[in-house]
Amino acid sequence: MEDRVQKLEAKLGFDRIREMIADRCSTDYASSKVMEEQFISSAEKIRRRLILTDEMRLILMFEESFPTTGYIDAIPFLEPLQKEGSRIDTLSLGKLGTLIDTTRRIVHFFGSVKDGIYPNLKALSRSINVFPEVHRRIEQILDKYGDIKDSASDELFDIRKSIRSKEGTVSKRAAAILSQAQTAGIADSDAGVTIREGKYLIPVASASKRKLSGFVYGVSASGKTSFIEPAELIELENEIAELHFAEAREIERILMEFTEFLRPYIPELLAGAAFVGEMDFLMAKARTAMDMRAGMPIISDDSTLALRKARHPLLEKALVKEGRSIVPLTVKLDGPKHILLISGPNAGGKSVCLKTVGLLQYMFQWGMLIPTSETSELPVFERIAVSIGDDQSLENDLSTYSSFLADMKEMLASADSHTLVLIDEFGSGTEPAAGGAIAESILAELDRRGVYGVITTHYTNLKLYASGEGTGVLNGAMLFDAARIEPLFQLETGLPGNSFAFELARKMGLPEAIVHDAEARAGEEYVGIERNLRKIVRRRKALDEKLQKVKNTDKALEGLTAKYQKELEDIREQKRKILDSAKQEAEDIVKGAGKQVERTIREIKESQADKERTKAARQNLQGFLGALEAKKTKDEYIDRKLEKLQKKSAKKAPEAAPAPVQKQGMLKVGEKVKVLSSGMVGEVSRVSSKSVTIIIGSISSTMAPDAVERISSNEFREVSRKTFSKPLQKIDANITSRKLSFKPEIDLRGARLQEALEAVMHYCDDAQMLGIGTVRIIHGKGTGVLREEIQKYLRTMPGVASVTDEDIRHGGTGVTIVTFG
């Protein structure tokens, strides 16, 4: 990153925002991207960055099924595997399993959501493969704890079966030898077989150690007990050692075979690893945004900068710790008024307003959600130029004012309508009259060019310039409670601010005579301007209160008018429906009455003057007419309709959004953790339900899962740097002496296999520690078994670059040349 950009970010405070986001990254890929991502001037790219972050924010808030664990770095071990002859190791194989599982869960999540939900993140996942066959093969090789399964190959199964059988035989024979020694009285009756470095040792009294055939491996601290490796077990242990070498070779073959199978898929696996890193990066941004209560602003298409209820995230965080709340900032700049000139008392919040605008604009063009109302609008600038703080330099012979002029020169060289300038304490640092004149001239030039800016000042001539007709500069004042002599930290635009210098002097206890004398020296004109400014502010406030009352009254009247208009429309609609219903009912009545009359006449005619039937027909007609007259005049339809309308208009109170759930989940191989008891950090290499194995430096340690906690990549790197930092190089006299006496060859002729291998191990360790590049191991030709086993063992040792036979003229196959890498 350029030095100029670093200084800009430091002055705005964005360097700390980067750190906040990086600290939430689980992978080095994501934390590196946080540090590499740059301020951009493409509206389309900004929109995409913001949308991706906002979609991830919504996922973390509302989607419990989205995977938030298992994010590991895989690119560092995948890239070398593209080279022919390379081989994956067991730990990396476990990490690869974690990566594929995490990728599968993420892709499955986006595949399960409906189209149109999180569309941009879903589009990112469409091209990602989940490699079920690779995952299946990993599960065939590794168990759930990250170890190679016995069933990984038939050969490995047979080797491990033989190892267990041999170890069982050795264990039984060692127990029998111990029993015999106890019977012979050379071992205590409560003694037990001791195992050290894979050797079965019998503890016997030192005085009787020659009565048991074998090799003395060590003695107790008191010297009374000797630990003897029985001679008859040595051959069995050699066989077990050979089986372990065979096991290592078979595991190497399995991993090599798997790597060959994996190699064609590595380009796609690298894309998957990058995808997981991108998700980790977006989660870090989204979680930081959630902490800030940030949202996505509107990208302005008419060069309007309108921040509504904006909050400085770093200041707000500091105030929350003190139990205080921040005063939100609302400010608007556009074409006609594109520069805000803020004035007011010291410590009144002028610089905070300036930095809030600058920081949020920078965060926005970096692609970060900002702590402001989502109705805020921000334009896209080509550049941001700042003059904040004192950049005086003794080396460059720059005073405070000289550094200010250097900043102005740089600004004026490139400032245009696509530039945002931020200038704190404009023109200060020199004689006020000259400084004010130069500042006014620079302000006029910036105004002429259409530059956007936020500027703080105390100069009255600049306030008067902003008050003039036809300028693009807008006055702004930091409000001050004159009664209590304290700032309110609120910005009011349209009026210049008052410095309240004399009032603050009185509050701080300066003698009244001195303050009065200062007012006299300032002159009536200055004091009058200040007084008039205060009067304007008071009258403006009173006018605003009256205007607010008028607005409230207008709003209430508008509400009543709308309400009555709605009721009138409802009544008209109901009247129309009632009339329609009445017409229909009248038609039905007329039709029914006509039918009833016709039926009555027909019955009378058919009865041929039969009095009873005529009487009955007339009674039926009278009953029909009586029912019509008795019908209730009240229309229940209207009541029912009104009730329906009331129910329809009633709105349910919106439910509160659920708080985001912190997901911990089971640890995965490859994730970074911290040991709670010691603060040491490491990487998970093996996981079970009851324990977790972590690698701390070059040490492997197993402990309970609740003894560690998952940490970010940054925290892991920082603690590792402190814990495992390279010590200062010192010349050790002992090492120098050992190096001088170190022999470049070792003669193992006549040694037994186990002794020879142990000697080779210690000899090679010393050689690497002393920085020896090449050594010779003389083992003789014999049957060739000793040469073969030594060379097999050497090829499994870390740090060994090559193992070859000596030139035939200098010993040939009887000597092995070892080169260290």
Side-chain angles (χ1 to χ4, degrees), residues 449-675:
R449 296 186 187 185
V451 175
Y452 279 68
V454 179
I455 299 172
T456 68
T457 189
H458 287 287
Y459 286 154
T460 302
N461 64 312
L462 300 184
K463 302 177 196 178
L464 293 173
Y465 175 88
S467 302
E469 290 291 331
T471 70
V473 184
L474 175 68
N475 263 314
M478 299 309 300
L479 297 185
F480 190 86
D481 189 334
R484 293 186 294 177
I485 316 297
E486 62 182 31
L488 299 175
F489 304 108
Q490 294 177 2
L491 174 69
E492 182 176 25
T493 57
L495 286 175
N498 189 332
S499 66
F500 290 94
F502 299 125
E503 288 79 356
L504 287 170
R506 286 190 175 94
K507 182 183 179 182
M508 296 305 294
L510 212 60
E512 179 59 31
I514 291 177
V515 176
H516 186 73
D517 182 56
E519 286 178 328
R521 290 175 182 275
E524 284 298 323
E525 184 179 354
Y526 173 80
V527 175
I529 290 173
E530 294 294 314
R531 286 174 180 167
N532 288 333
L533 282 174
R534 287 200 294 276
K535 286 180 182 178
I536 291 170
V537 171
R538 282 197 298 269
R539 290 175 181 175
R540 173 67 181 271
K541 188 175 181 181
L543 180 60
D544 284 345
E545 289 175 355
K546 290 180 180 178
L547 285 173
Q548 189 60 45
K549 288 180 181 179
V550 172
K551 286 179 181 178
N552 292 339
T553 303
D554 287 346
K555 192 173 181 181
L557 287 173
E558 287 174 4
L560 287 172
T561 303
K563 178 184 176 182
Y564 292 145
Q565 185 68 28
K566 181 72 169 58
E567 289 179 356
L568 181 59
E569 289 174 0
D570 288 346
I571 291 170
R572 285 174 178 168
E573 180 65 18
Q574 290 170 10
K575 179 181 177 183
R576 183 187 64 76
K577 291 181 178 180
I578 290 169
L579 290 174
D580 290 345
S581 177
K583 287 178 183 178
Q584 184 62 45
E585 191 174 349
E587 288 178 6
D588 293 342
I589 290 171
V590 171
K591 288 178 182 178
K595 289 178 181 178
Q596 185 66 27
V597 171
E598 288 175 2
R599 188 163 52 252
T600 302
I601 293 171
R602 187 170 62 252
E603 288 179 357
I604 291 173
K605 285 181 179 179
E606 290 174 356
S607 65
Q608 295 180 351
D610 185 340
K611 289 183 180 180
E612 292 300 324
R613 292 185 63 185
T614 301
K615 185 177 180 182
R618 288 186 178 184
Q619 286 177 347
N620 287 338
L621 182 59
Q622 289 295 327
F624 176 76
L625 294 172
L628 289 177
E629 291 174 359
K631 185 175 177 63
K632 293 181 181 180
T633 57
K634 184 177 179 181
D635 194 343
E636 295 177 355
Y637 169 80
I638 297 175
D639 291 339
R640 289 198 304 272
K641 185 62 179 173
L642 285 173
E643 187 177 351
K644 286 181 182 179
L645 287 171
Q646 289 171 355
K647 287 180 180 178
K648 197 171 182 181
S649 63
K651 293 182 179 177
K652 293 181 180 179
E655 295 180 0
V661 180
Q662 179 67 32
K663 303 177 183 177
Q664 181 65 17
M666 190 173 178
L667 292 167
K668 305 279 186 178
V669 172
E671 289 192 305
K672 298 171 180 66
V673 295
K674 179 170 72 175
V675 182

Side-chain angles (χ1 to χ4, degrees), residues 742-758:
F742 183 84
K743 295 180 179 179
E745 65 181 27
I746 182 173
D747 193 342
L748 300 176
R749 284 175 292 187
R752 290 182 305 162
L753 176 61
Q754 190 66 25
E755 290 176 346
L757 292 176
E758 187 173 346

Side-chain angles (χ1 to χ4, degrees), residues 86-141:
S86 58
R87 172 181 63 80
I88 195 168
D89 58 58
T90 306
L91 178 59
S92 296
L93 185 62
K95 288 182 178 181
L96 180 60
T98 299
L99 170 74
I100 293 175
D101 181 61
T102 303
T103 306
R104 178 189 59 78
R105 289 186 294 141
I106 296 172
V107 171
H108 174 73
F109 169 81
F110 286 116
S112 65
V113 299
K114 295 179 181 178
D115 289 338
I117 301 176
Y118 319 126
N120 294 277
L121 288 175
K122 190 170 184 176
L124 286 180
S125 69
R126 285 198 185 100
S127 61
I128 303 301
N129 293 321
V130 295
F131 305 101
E133 179 59 21
V134 176
H135 195 257
R136 185 186 68 79
R137 290 211 182 191
I138 293 173
E139 289 186 329
Q140 284 182 339
I141 297 172

Side-chain angles (χ1 to χ4, degrees), residues 45 94 127 219 242 256 409 453 463 710 718 723 729:
K45 289 181 180 178
S127 61
V219 295
E242 289 178 7
M256 183 66 78
K409 178 184 176 182
K463 302 177 196 178
R710 186 181 284 109
E718 185 64 27
T723 308
Q729 189 172 1

Side-chain angles (χ1 to χ4, degrees), residues 150-160 250 253-254:
D150 293 355
S151 59
S153 74
D154 294 339
E155 179 69 16
L156 184 63
F157 181 84
D158 292 339
I159 291 170
R160 286 184 173 174
E250 179 60 15
R253 186 196 66 77
I254 291 168

